[in-house]
Amino acid sequence: MGNRTFAILKPDAIEKNIYGDIISRIQADGFKIIGMKMTKLNERTATGFYEVHKDKPFFPGLLEYMTSGACIPMVLVKENAVADFRKLIGSTDPIKADEGTIRKDFADDITHNIIHGSDSDENAEIEIAFFFNRAELIGNAGLNCC
Ligand code: IDP
Ligand code: MG
């Protein structure tokens, strides 16, 4: 079981100025943040990140959403990180998400669902590498922690 996962606070989390509350939830659940930046996806980078969904009917809406403003990609560490984080964020569709999950409490709808979490250890590593160099992660290079 891997101990890293990858998350993105999606543009509505920044637009609504609620990303601090969401980050607090993530920390309170025991995740340590070892990489974080504020950035903005363009059509090319958003398409690259969501390549697997490019033939889905919802893809144009997803692209519009993900390029609509700044987002915050993050690298998170905890034992059993991928599964634990998916549990913390809840189902893709906030209507179906369990009580107390981040998507249940903060997301508007199935497209605008506020946060991304990797679905496997393998994808977590691919997604981390999409946004971060090793040197940008605490513990991997010159960066010191806490
Ligand atoms: P996940 O984020 O829960 O892993 P995925 O199936 O990987 O869900 O889909 C990626 C993103 O695409 C979702 O987080 C959501 O923003 C959007 N999305 C997924 N399914 C739908 C849908 O059926 N309608 C509209 N948007 C969707
Ligand atoms: Mg997914």
Side-chain angles (χ1 to χ4, degrees):
M1 216 60 92
N3 72 340
R4 308 207 302 184
T5 193
F6 173 77
I8 303 178
L9 296 167
K10 295 182 176 182
D12 46 347
I14 287 77
E15 175 62 30
K16 293 178 182 172
N17 213 20
I18 55 172
Y19 57 90
D21 296 331
I22 299 173
I23 290 169
S24 291
R25 290 270 199 111
I26 294 168
Q27 291 176 306
D29 204 55
F31 289 90
K32 193 166 114 187
I33 299 168
I34 62 158
M36 176 159 70
K37 61 175 83 167
M38 196 175 274
T39 185
K40 190 168 186 290
L41 296 176
N42 59 31
E43 196 162 319
R44 185 178 56 83
T45 47
T47 300
F49 184 75
Y50 278 121
E51 184 82 36
V52 63
H53 294 307
K54 72 174 188 305
D55 297 323
K56 306 266 174 65
F58 61 78
F59 187 72
L62 175 60
L63 209 62
E64 189 183 346
Y65 171 42
M66 293 303 295
T67 59
S68 67
C71 65
I72 301 177
M74 296 189 296
V75 182
L76 305 172
V77 171
K78 186 186 179 185
E79 228 174 273
N80 197 25
V82 166
D84 263 28
F85 193 68
R86 294 284 291 195
K87 198 168 167 214
L88 177 66
I89 69 177
S91 294
T92 308
D93 184 350
I95 291 170
K96 296 182 184 152
D98 288 343
E99 292 298 327
T101 61
I102 289 172
R103 281 170 167 167
K104 181 72 171 187
D105 291 345
F106 295 102
D108 287 341
D109 57 58
I110 191 168
T111 297
H112 308 93
N113 62 2
I114 219 91
I115 193 160
H116 166 84
S118 304
D119 62 6
S120 68
D121 289 344
E122 188 191 357
N123 283 336
E125 293 308 315
I126 291 168
E127 292 170 0
I128 289 167
F130 192 92
F131 281 97
F132 293 92
N133 300 320
R134 274 177 58 89
E136 293 174 299
L137 303 181
I138 286 167
N140 274 340
L143 294 177
N144 295 319
C145 182
C146 320

